[in-house]
Amino acid sequence: MRNASAGRPSEARSRLLDTATRLFYGEGIRAVGIDRIVAEAQVTRATLYRHFAGKEDLVLAYLSGVDRAMRSPAEEAIAAGLPAADTVLALSKGIAQAIQSPGFRGCAFLNAAAEYPDPESPARKAVLAHREWFLETITGLLAEIRESGAEPAARHFVMLRDGAMAAGCLFDPALISETFLHGVERLLQLHATSDHSGRPGPRADV
């Protein structure tokens, strides 16, 4: 439901989604019931169902919001027109900052994937769509550095990122972030100069 005068989501819908986002990320999606969300958002069940068909719809709205929050800085970094390697490093630093932020509980999409193993689940499909976008974005940036081997290098980047996100809520986040950034820097160096089979490739400045 929309606020007709402002053209923005209603206050009740925003409260519901903000509450669900906090609880889903902080405690897990399946662990949080509708009654808890309704109570903490201070709305009625009828209000919730005016805005969301059910919990699944609310979960999808949550994942969509997280997706937008991750796409926005990536799009801004790319739009800045920096060299591709600098853009990848900027995105990596953003990831490192997220790992060190208060209340960090890992990647919202990896967490959701663990709770929704069914490949036909709408939530699982939302996770895969987000990850496909992320991989394609990194592949495109690495292809600007060197087209050959861009996709394998991007997959390595995503694995580094996934590992850092998983370890960042278990161990020292500052150390994990430092290790992740060193790994990304080395990956960029190797991608610019190697064909990913151990053989030197053409010089990046030729």
Side-chain angles (χ1 to χ4, degrees), residues 179-194:
T179 303
F180 167 64
L181 291 175
H182 285 167
V184 171
E185 289 170 359
R186 182 59 176 156
L187 176 63
L188 289 170
Q189 292 171 359
L190 288 173
H191 175 61
T193 60
S194 169

Side-chain angles (χ1 to χ4, degrees), residues 51-181:
H51 297 284
F52 302 98
K55 183 175 178 181
E56 181 177 84
D57 194 28
L58 187 56
V59 170
L60 293 177
Y62 155 63
L63 292 175
S64 178
V66 177
D67 176 70
R68 288 194 302 273
M70 294 182 68
R71 286 182 188 242
S72 180
E75 292 169 352
E76 289 176 5
I78 292 170
L82 297 173
D86 290 342
T87 302
V88 173
L89 285 173
L91 293 176
S92 301
K93 289 176 182 176
I95 292 169
Q97 289 173 355
I99 290 171
Q100 298 179 71
S101 63
F104 177 74
R105 280 199 68 252
C107 171
F109 288 96
L110 292 178
N111 294 346
E115 296 198 66
Y116 291 89
D118 182 358
E120 296 305 313
S121 163
R124 183 79 172 198
K125 290 180 179 180
V127 169
L128 295 178
H130 170 81
R131 289 180 64 79
E132 182 178 356
W133 160 78
F134 187 66
L135 177 61
E136 288 178 352
T137 297
I138 299 300
T139 299
L141 288 168
L142 293 178
E144 293 182 29
I145 299 171
R146 185 164 181 261
E147 186 170 359
S148 176
E151 184 174 348
R155 293 189 183 280
H156 281 219
F157 178 94
V158 172
M159 290 179 68
L160 284 172
R161 180 261 184 197
D162 288 350
M165 292 293 250
C169 56
L170 297 173
F171 305 104
D172 180 356
L175 178 60
I176 296 301
S177 297
E178 181 181 3
T179 303
F180 167 64
L181 291 175

Side-chain angles (χ1 to χ4, degrees), residues 4-82:
S5 62
R8 295 176 298 185
S10 75
E11 181 184 349
R13 186 185 190 280
S14 295
R15 286 207 312 274
L16 280 163
L17 189 52
D18 289 347
T19 301
T21 296
R22 173 174 55 82
L23 294 175
F24 287 160
Y25 182 71
E27 301 182 21
I29 295 172
R30 294 194 182 278
V32 177
I34 288 294
D35 288 342
R36 171 99 180 271
I37 295 169
V38 165
E40 295 202 17
Q42 298 182 328
V43 300
T44 65
R45 268 181 168 264
T47 298
L48 181 143
Y49 290 122
R50 279 202 300 271
H51 297 284
F52 302 98
K55 183 175 178 181
E56 181 177 84
D57 194 28
L58 187 56
V59 170
L60 293 177
Y62 155 63
L63 292 175
S64 178
V66 177
D67 176 70
R68 288 194 302 273
M70 294 182 68
R71 286 182 188 242
S72 180
E75 292 169 352
E76 289 176 5
I78 292 170
L82 297 173

